[in-house]
Amino acid sequence: MFKKILIANRGEIACRVIKTARRMGIATVAVYSDADARAPFVQMADEAVHIGPAPAAQSYLIPEKIIAACKATGADAVHPGYGFLSERTSFAEALAAENIAFIGPPVGAIAAMGDKIESKKLAKAAGVNVVPGYVGEIDDTDHAVRIAAEIGYPVMMKASAGGGGKGMRLAFSEQDVREGFESVKREGLNSFGDDRVFIEKFIENPRHIEIQILGDQHGNILYLNERECSIQRRHQKVVEEAPSPFVTPEMRKAMGEQCVALARAVGYYSAGTVELIVSGADKSGQSFYFLEMNTRLQVEHPVTEAITGIDLVEQMIRVAAGEKLAMTQDDIGIHGWAIENRVYAEDPYRGFLPSTGRLVRYRPPLAGWTDDGQGNARRGVDGVRVDDGVYEGGEVSMFYDPMITKLVTWGETRDEAADRQVAALDAFEIEGLGHNIDFLSAIMQHPRFRSGELTTGFIAEEYPEGFHGAPADADLQRALAGIAAFLATARADRARRVDGQLGKRLRPPSEWSVTLAGQTFAVALSGDEVTVDGTPLDLAMEYTPGDVLVEAEVDGDVVGVKVKPTRSGFQLTTRGAIHKVQVLPARLAPYTTHMIEKVPPDLSRFLICPMPGLLVALHVAEGDKVEAGQPLAVVEAMKMENILRAEKSGTVKAVRAKAGESLAVDAIILEMA
């Protein structure tokens, strides 16, 4: 067994590998860039080596620096995590040349499966169903347009070396191809050093199912069930679960055996994932197609660990050390249900724009997952597991992936796992930057999600006008009205106790007018009794002014509510939505009708940068006439390109920025006449 492992990665996956290695009695080495000098994974490792500036291209993506760190610390193996160098054959070869073990699959398998174009050719030759498409070299945009027309719209354009949702564009027309082809090439070149693109038929209403593979160097290959990864945004997974509510035992066996055969054809060992696209309309499950094989550990591996009890990181280490798998296919079961939500630094209320910055407050519902070696522990504490690599006071940098943490829940049933997600998300406290916690909670409560009728179009179909918070039913609105009145009473009671007031102390109001969601409630508090519009509300809670998170028991149900005082009430966040609540003493409420409404300024004539990022391209100049919907600029943020379009027709009056500039959020790019 290895004595010391270097983790050639960062963030939560580096923490994840360190925890298992520590349990196995293996020393660990972290490598870090300038941006990660104070990161938790650096503190957790036994040793740490600085490898360069913040940009990954100058640090984590340089094999020579990783190998130098191995030599300096005496590390005899490298775990690459996911992303960065995890699927680069030249890196694995360079390690082998230095007699350093690569904790991953053989170079031949990485080469065969890592290139999307070549892997499809190999899969087709092996008799595996592949999506119809063009897998040859594409010369230019005109060539891409001709190919798309031959295949038939809609088509998907993908960077050959892409992954993680980067370098992908869906095209429904020739215009979409012309607008997106060059962007796909640039993203592929910038993120993966390869600008080749392939085009394939886009299967509408598809489900994204993936099979977890695990093999050793002695010819044993198993499939560890499937994961449902259909809920995606911009081809980036948002929610993953295991097992899939769609897959039957017969489908699971057929998919698993075919994926094992494919892995065997390339001499695969270690952990890997075969991604399939499945027609949701075909209940037989026979219409599944090979998409790609990820020759590494997946971000969503914890859900597989939760239902199987198998530590995938440990198995990768043991396989790399030459050990045989200690289990057979018959040993692989399914125990309960697990769901993983990716908590991202993005603002769903502003079109999911990336949100970088400092984590002013970071309080997960429980401490990061601890590996104690017990299979059940991989389900966390009481079915809740947090895999993170950030800390309060740290920054979510523009240089890396925007994921803050992974929240994993396990339950005996799918509904139980989803309910635990909602409760844990309510208890999550993040301040300082935008995040998608409300959006994740809304998905977990959504009737369509609960039904299991999922496709990769779920988010686009259910939130066509963007996300504005999960709808609150009448019971929740009544509960929030009662909670808001309780909070206001506590604050008024605190205020009356301040020394130096004139006259005798005043009693806090006991009757309140509470307005939320356009509805006004009359709330009265008398002793331990609370009534809302004259109807008793069974409310039990504690609150001290200044508390950020309160837990209230309302009519027997526990509700976690994040509290932020405002000028005339509170901002209450719970159950997937922000509720702006006005709370006034009942005797004062009638006078609000005399207040003048504040009208926000009209900013429609400005093209405003919606996020911190790099202005990659500016398509217009001063004096140009533009039409509504016309692309005006391209801004790159979090390694993704975002096309900014004109909101209305007009003429460019002034240009305030130029291509190549780094822009702050809300920076003005140009002004329209």
Side-chain angles (χ1 to χ4, degrees):
M1 182 50 66
F2 307 119
K3 301 293 184 183
K4 187 181 292 185
I5 293 174
L6 182 144
I7 299 95
N9 218 296
R10 61 177 299 279
E12 64 87 14
I13 188 56
C15 294
R16 168 71 185 85
V17 175
I18 290 170
K19 289 174 182 178
T20 288
R22 178 181 295 163
R23 175 175 56 78
M24 296 176 68
I26 303 172
T28 55
V29 179
V31 291
Y32 65 94
S33 69
D34 290 346
D36 287 331
R38 296 180 178 83
F41 76 94
V42 177
Q43 310 300 320
M44 289 175 60
D46 297 299
E47 299 175 68
V49 179
H50 177 250
I51 56 170
Q58 300 175 41
S59 50
Y60 296 107
L61 287 172
I62 301 180
E64 293 79 10
K65 291 189 175 183
I66 305 299
I67 292 172
C70 288
K71 291 180 177 180
T73 58
D76 52 351
V78 170
H79 195 300
Y82 44 73
F84 291 150
L85 300 172
S86 62
E87 294 178 284
R88 187 176 295 185
T89 54
S90 59
F91 177 56
E93 290 170 339
L95 290 174
E98 298 292 342
N99 201 30
I100 300 170
F102 178 71
I103 301 176
V107 171
I110 299 175
M113 292 288 101
D115 186 305
K116 287 185 172 63
I117 292 177
E118 295 304 317
S119 68
K120 286 184 179 299
K121 291 179 180 177
L122 190 151
K124 190 172 183 178
V128 178
N129 289 343
V130 297
V131 179
Y134 184 86
V135 295
E137 296 286 339
I138 300 176
D139 302 326
D140 52 28
T141 300
D142 288 336
H143 189 197
V145 168
R146 292 197 300 273
I147 290 168
E150 291 171 4
I151 295 172
Y153 292 102
V155 298
M156 179 68 77
M157 298 177 288
K158 295 184 179 180
S160 179
K166 299 178 179 64
M168 301 175 72
R169 286 289 189 281
L170 178 59
F172 288 91
S173 64
E174 177 180 333
Q175 180 182 351
D176 291 342
V177 175
R178 292 192 180 280
E179 288 183 5
F181 182 73
E182 290 300 325
S183 287
V184 174
K185 290 190 68 172
R186 281 196 299 269
E187 286 184 7
L189 185 62
N190 293 340
S191 296
F192 311 104
D194 186 341
D195 68 352
R196 290 177 301 153
V197 175
F198 70 95
I199 299 178
E200 65 185 13
K201 179 70 176 177
F202 180 72
I203 297 176
E204 298 182 83
N205 300 319
R207 297 183 82 115
H208 185 120
I209 308 292
E210 58 187 34
I211 301 292
Q212 176 68 58
I213 294 294
L214 180 63
D216 62 23
Q217 299 186 48
H218 305 277
N220 301 304
I221 305 177
L222 313 175
Y223 63 92
L224 275 58
N225 307 312
E226 80 285 351
R227 294 184 290 257
E228 171 85 56
C229 305
S230 296
I231 297 185
Q232 305 175 5
R233 195 186 66 78
R234 293 186 66 174
H235 316 297
Q236 179 76 48
K237 298 166 190 172
V238 177
V239 181
E240 300 103 348
E241 59 181 306
S244 165
F246 178 74
V247 174
T248 64
E250 294 75 22
M251 293 165 61
R252 181 176 300 115
K253 186 173 187 292
M255 291 175 178
E257 289 178 351
Q258 185 168 340
C259 292
V260 166
L262 178 62
R264 198 177 298 283
V266 294
Y268 200 89
Y269 58 78
S270 191
T273 295
V274 180
E275 300 197 353
L276 306 169
I277 190 167
V278 183
S279 172
D282 183 0
K283 300 301 181 182
S284 72
Q286 296 178 359
S287 298
F288 63 88
Y289 304 94
F290 169 78
L291 277 181
E292 62 180 326
M293 184 173 188
N294 294 311
T295 55
R296 53 170 168 78
L297 192 67
Q298 291 281 93
V299 176
E300 57 271 23
H301 74 272
V303 294
T304 296
E305 294 184 329
I307 66 165
T308 63
I310 295 172
D311 185 325
L312 287 170
V313 173
E314 176 183 350
Q315 294 304 315
M316 291 181 74
I317 294 172
R318 293 192 180 282
V319 167
E323 295 185 14
K324 287 185 177 180
L325 293 178
M327 73 286 290
T328 66
Q329 190 64 57
D330 290 339
D331 297 322
I332 308 302
I334 297 177
H335 306 286
W337 213 287
I339 299 175
E340 174 181 294
N341 274 309
R342 300 189 188 190
V343 179
Y344 282 124
E346 61 184 15
D347 190 345
Y349 293 102
R350 297 185 65 189
F352 298 93
L353 295 174
S355 179
T356 58
R358 188 173 301 281
L359 283 165
V360 176
R361 188 178 187 88
Y362 176 73
R363 306 283 173 86
L366 74 168
W369 173 74
T370 301
D371 182 3
D372 66 359
Q374 302 299 313
N376 288 342
R378 289 174 195 119
R379 300 169 183 166
V381 177
D382 295 328
V384 180
R385 168 177 164 177
V386 173
D387 281 22
D388 61 12
V390 299
Y391 65 100
E392 188 168 278
E395 286 195 23
V396 175
S397 169
M398 64 178 287
F399 297 104
Y400 312 119
D401 188 89
M403 189 168 67
I404 299 173
T405 189
K406 300 186 309 197
L407 178 64
V408 184
T409 56
W410 176 90
E412 293 287 351
T413 65
R414 186 169 183 265
D415 279 342
E416 186 178 339
D419 288 343
R420 284 179 172 166
Q421 279 284 343
V422 174
L425 289 165
D426 277 348
F428 230 120
E429 299 177 51
I430 297 178
E431 295 179 12
L433 42 71
H435 56 77
N436 66 338
I437 284 177
D438 287 353
F439 180 62
L440 297 175
S441 180
I443 292 175
M444 293 296 98
Q445 300 170 70
H446 200 289
R448 181 174 163 188
F449 174 80
R450 292 299 180 115
S451 74
E453 295 297 321
L454 310 178
T455 70
T456 56
F458 176 91
I459 291 176
E461 293 161 8
E462 298 302 325
Y463 303 97
E465 303 301 322
F467 178 70
H468 306 290
D473 61 22
D475 288 340
L476 181 56
Q477 290 183 12
R478 288 185 69 253
L480 290 175
I483 290 170
F486 187 100
L487 301 175
T489 301
R491 288 175 62 83
D493 189 56
R494 166 69 67 86
R496 77 185 181 90
R497 297 175 186 275
V498 176
D499 288 339
Q501 294 184 98
L502 294 176
K504 62 181 181 180
R505 290 180 177 175
L506 302 174
R507 294 185 61 81
S510 60
E511 296 183 355
W512 299 89
S513 175
V514 181
T515 302
L516 70 148
Q519 187 172 353
T520 299
F521 300 86
V523 185
L525 291 81
S526 177
D528 293 332
E529 294 184 357
V530 180
T531 62
V532 178
D533 289 338
T535 303
L537 182 72
D538 186 3
L539 174 64
M541 61 181 290
E542 293 183 2
Y543 171 71
T544 300
D547 287 349
V548 175
L549 178 68
V550 298
E551 191 173 90
E553 185 175 333
V554 185
D555 293 335
D557 292 329
V558 176
V559 182
V561 183
K562 289 181 273 287
V563 179
K564 182 179 180 181
T566 61
R567 192 181 190 95
S568 60
F570 302 93
Q571 179 177 287
L572 304 180
T573 304
T574 187
R575 293 295 190 266
I578 296 172
H579 303 274
K580 296 181 179 179
V581 186
Q582 182 187 66
V583 188
L584 296 172
R587 61 187 177 82
L588 299 180
Y591 297 103
T592 58
T593 57
H594 301 289
M595 300 298 291
I596 299 174
E597 184 178 354
K598 191 173 183 180
V599 180
D602 180 15
L603 300 176
S604 62
R605 73 177 188 277
F606 297 105
L607 180 66
I608 297 174
C609 187
M611 74 212 81
L614 179 69
L615 184 59
V616 175
L618 190 60
H619 300 309
V620 294
E622 188 173 318
D624 287 355
K625 292 185 177 181
V626 300
E627 299 296 328
Q630 178 180 334
L632 300 180
V634 179
V635 175
E636 180 187 285
M638 294 290 190
K639 298 185 283 187
M640 297 287 285
E641 291 192 356
N642 302 272
I643 299 174
L644 306 185
R645 303 176 183 273
E647 290 187 14
K648 59 185 181 181
S649 301
T651 303
V652 179
K653 179 180 179 181
V655 176
R656 306 283 184 86
K658 58 183 179 181
E661 283 188 16
S662 291
L663 303 177
V665 63
D666 293 334
I668 295 176
I669 298 174
L670 56 86
E671 181 180 355
M672 305 286 291

